[in-house]
Amino acid sequence: MAKREELSLRIQGMHCASCVANIERGVSGLDGVSECRVNLATNSAVVEFDSGRLDADSVIHKIKSLGYGASVGQQDVLSANESELRAAKNRFLLALVLAIPLMAVAMWPMFVSRQLLPSFASTWLQALFAVVIIFVAGRGILMDAARQATHLRANMNTLIAMGAVVSFGWSLYEALTPHAGHAHALYFESAGMIVTLILLGRFLEARSK
């Protein structure tokens, strides 16, 4: 005889609707699960299952195998949001502090027809600012994109990471390649601003929650 149970879970690592769909689809595919409801706003899930055919550890293991964190219990929405908001704010402020001088150095020639700094210094200062923005402030985006790739999936972070890393990689290639008679085609500021604007969006999203 089936014994129906309801399991409440705290979920970590969700960023968009595709994350919700990945978890719901993965957990619903387990033998014994009758329903899986995931809430992105509260980072939580409720799973209804037959305890005679499945246990809570198996559900948690499945979610973790999909690349997310999970633990038993009701989500404390207020404290969880405070932590999320604080982290989102710190990441955005770090990116913003560096994005302003990055844009100033990169865009200066468009307004005054000359470099703010010597070409060599300008190039590598832009690279330095972009490295910190992308790989420090935006490391959560890159880590999640890599985690999704290991499971042969993609989400919004995958697109963001691809745009930022490809722009940075091409700019680095250009900076290291000798050019005679014409300027380097650099996109360090584009890569940095992609991540900065996304982090602004994440910060505003956390505030709205």
Side-chain angles (χ1 to χ4, degrees):
M1 180 178 177
K3 184 179 180 183
R4 196 72 61 190
E5 287 195 14
E6 186 175 279
L7 176 65
S8 296
L9 296 170
R10 296 184 288 265
I11 308 295
Q12 297 86 40
M14 294 192 298
H15 300 284
C16 60
S18 66
C19 297
V20 172
N22 286 336
I23 295 174
E24 289 184 339
R25 185 166 52 248
V27 173
S28 296
L30 292 173
D31 184 34
V33 172
S34 57
E35 186 177 11
C36 176
R37 303 186 303 275
V38 179
N39 190 315
L40 178 62
T42 59
N43 293 316
S44 62
V46 176
V47 181
E48 294 183 6
F49 65 99
D50 179 357
S51 60
R53 300 158 62 190
L54 192 69
D55 58 20
D57 288 341
S58 298
V59 175
I60 292 174
H61 177 75
K62 179 61 178 180
I63 294 173
K64 289 182 177 180
S65 74
L66 295 171
Y68 305 94
S71 58
V72 177
Q74 295 281 354
Q75 184 71 278
D76 184 345
V77 179
L78 294 179
S79 63
N81 187 60
E82 287 175 358
S83 175
E84 180 185 357
L85 177 58
R86 184 166 53 252
K89 180 179 179 180
N90 291 339
R91 288 191 293 266
F92 167 63
L93 289 178
L94 173 59
L96 179 64
V97 166
L98 296 173
I100 292 172
L102 171 60
M103 292 300 294
V105 173
M107 297 291 103
W108 188 267
M110 294 181 61
F111 299 102
V112 298
S113 300
R114 63 183 177 83
Q115 292 279 1
L116 179 63
L117 299 169
S119 180
F120 179 85
S122 174
T123 295
W124 293 109
L125 192 59
Q126 291 179 57
L128 177 62
F129 288 147
V131 162
V132 179
I133 293 173
I134 298 168
F135 298 99
V136 179
R139 68 185 181 278
I141 295 171
L142 302 183
M143 290 173 63
D144 183 62
R147 191 160 51 241
Q148 296 302 319
T150 62
H151 295 283
L152 302 179
R153 293 193 309 267
N155 62 10
M156 186 180 357
N157 284 336
T158 305
L159 300 177
I160 299 164
M162 287 177 61
V165 171
V166 169
S167 296
F168 179 84
W170 173 258
S171 301
L172 190 60
Y173 168 78
E174 282 283 298
L176 294 172
T177 303
H179 289 267
H182 60 90
H184 295 280
L186 302 179
Y187 301 98
F188 289 122
E189 85 286 352
S190 299
M193 286 306 298
I194 288 172
V195 174
T196 301
L197 291 174
I198 291 299
L199 292 177
L200 170 61
R202 297 275 167 87
F203 170 54
L204 295 177
E205 181 182 41
R207 285 193 63 184
S208 70
K209 283 185 181 181

